[in-house]
Amino acid sequence: MPVTPLTPRPEVKHYRALFISDIHLGTKASQAAAFLEFLKTVEAEKIYLVGDIVDFWRIRRGVYWPQYHNDVLQKLLRRARKGTELIVIPGNHDEVLRDYCGASFGAIRVERDTIHEAADGKRYLVMHGDEFDVVVRYAKWIAFLGDGAYNFALWINTHFNTMRRWFGLPYWSLSAYLKHKVKRAVNYIGEFEAALVQEAARRGTQGVICGHIHHAAKRQIGEVTYINTGDWVESCTAVAETQAGTFEIIRWTPAISGVRPQPIPDEELEAAA
């Protein structure tokens, strides 16, 4: 009788802290299934949810909530019940949670922003970052308009990648490419990074960890280390602090490819900026 070989379980990596943002649960563009796969491979003493985990902007226009979106929340809550400290920092898409900033629910804490002290003693300001996005802060209606156009690009992107799979080509984010080109033209990313770095310096921290702009990055800007977690819509990235106190940006490749998550080299991130 033939024996079906067992599928090996993915190796679990243990981190001191994990930083995740912009999953946008409640939208069809959310890569929630990939995020669930990713969670199976990592453990952390602390998990920071750095905003836009649930997209209430979209939910107001019509509820889309498949089971695996619910599974993401259940998985995170289960981690908290088992002793992982969960720090929730609401973003602009889940800003309704800002009414609960300062509250604690067992191992879950809700904060407007917070300070993370790394293993080497360096202090990092952790915040979503939308406060320093001029479009969101001063012209929210433009942000909503941009959000609609962006999601139209994501819809096109889904069909575009379906055709790429037919030809055996890997996933490529058309929406990320278009957004990156437009925002580079107006120095948007650079201005956003400069504003966050300035705020970190004002608060007396040696670094800043944020999300919001869906652009993973790790670079030294003057005396401040700027780190952006990226997102789980286009790039499927997260930031992890190792037990030694170093920070890695991890890009998740779905398990179907047989490739495990790999840290992104800093030089690759610089080239993409």
Side-chain angles (χ1 to χ4, degrees), residues 139-152:
K140 186 172 284 191
W141 69 272
I142 297 177
F144 274 102
L145 179 63
D147 184 58
Y150 172 57
N151 281 281
F152 178 66

Side-chain angles (χ1 to χ4, degrees), residues 24-42:
H24 289 274
L25 297 173
T27 72
K28 293 182 179 179
S30 174
Q31 300 290 334
F35 180 70
L36 282 170
E37 292 249 344
F38 167 71
L39 275 183
K40 295 176 183 177
T41 70
V42 292

Side-chain angles (χ1 to χ4, degrees), residues 107-173:
I108 303 172
R109 196 170 83 242
V110 185
E111 301 285 356
R112 189 67 174 81
D113 54 56
T114 192
I115 303 296
H116 172 75
E117 185 170 330
D120 60 4
K122 291 184 179 179
R123 299 164 71 245
Y124 291 79
L125 172 63
V126 185
M127 63 193 314
H128 183 64
D130 60 290
E131 304 94 325
F132 297 91
D133 185 332
V134 174
V135 173
V136 172
R137 189 174 182 182
Y138 296 111
K140 186 172 284 191
W141 69 272
I142 297 177
F144 274 102
L145 179 63
D147 184 58
Y150 172 57
N151 281 281
F152 178 66
L154 289 175
W155 179 82
I156 294 175
N157 194 64
T158 300
H159 298 282
F160 175 73
N161 275 287
T162 298
M163 289 188 289
R164 285 179 65 86
R165 284 196 299 272
W166 288 346
F167 290 99
L169 297 173
Y171 179 87
W172 182 72
S173 180

